[in-house]
Amino acid sequence: MAPEYFFKRGYFLFNFVAKFPPHSFNGGSCFVDTQFIFSIGRSVDEAMSLVKGHYTSLGVKCNSIEQVMPVTTTNDDLKRLASPPSTLGFSDGVYVKTPAAKEVLMLLDSDEDAPDNLPSMIEQVARERGLSIAELETQLEPFV
């Protein structure tokens, strides 16, 4: 099972195009002067600030940064990104439902006495997946 991604309330996915003098990323022989980049934030200003900070940390001075797509809060759009966790603002604006958390939630759905059995379900899944109980409880926080 792959992880699933869910926007936290009030966060949006923004797409920007950044233009800058020709620059070689990662020391390669290919030079680029335009790049599309996604950012997650509560506002366009917050998301753009993350983009500016990203390029500043790389030592790239942007000539312009513009929003190029409509804003979205569709969770399916997060799945379409090449690497959702590497998207700017990801850790602040997205919940991740891990395979272990999904398994506990499926057990909860299938058990009539689920609330009473939750601690034992967490313990069972944590043991089977080699996780600590505290780690699995942290993964479950947004969903239970």
Side-chain angles (χ1 to χ4, degrees):
M1 273 191 263
E4 293 179 34
Y5 306 109
F6 301 91
F7 283 106
K8 292 179 181 176
R9 185 180 311 275
Y11 282 83
F12 306 93
L13 178 66
F14 297 91
N15 188 6
F16 297 96
V17 62
K19 296 185 180 191
F20 37 81
H23 185 82
S24 173
F25 291 94
N26 299 326
S29 60
C30 178
F31 287 83
V32 296
D33 63 0
T34 303
Q35 189 174 39
F36 289 93
I37 186 165
F38 288 96
S39 182
I40 297 169
R42 290 173 288 209
S43 68
V44 69
D45 292 334
E46 180 181 322
M48 188 174 291
S49 176
L50 291 172
V51 172
K52 288 177 181 176
H54 169 72
Y55 286 113
T56 299
S57 73
L58 295 174
V60 176
K61 184 174 178 1
C62 293
N63 295 334
S64 68
I65 301 172
E66 297 174 13
Q67 186 178 353
V68 294
M69 283 181 53
V71 176
T72 181
T73 56
T74 305
N75 293 320
D76 283 346
D77 288 339
L78 287 170
K79 286 192 264 185
R80 293 187 186 101
L81 298 174
S83 176
S86 66
T87 303
L88 300 175
F90 180 85
S91 60
D92 292 331
V94 175
Y95 292 122
V96 178
K97 188 187 293 181
T98 64
K102 282 191 219 180
E103 188 173 337
V104 171
L105 294 170
M106 287 186 334
L107 288 171
L108 278 172
D109 286 343
S110 67
D111 188 343
E112 292 177 8
D113 300 321
D116 296 333
N117 295 334
L118 180 60
S120 63
M121 291 174 180
I122 292 172
E123 186 177 327
Q124 173 192 338
V125 172
R127 185 177 56 252
E128 289 172 357
R129 295 195 172 254
L131 300 170
S132 72
I133 292 173
E135 184 179 357
L136 184 52
E137 287 174 337
T138 300
Q139 292 176 12
L140 285 165
E141 272 179 19
F143 307 105
V144 213

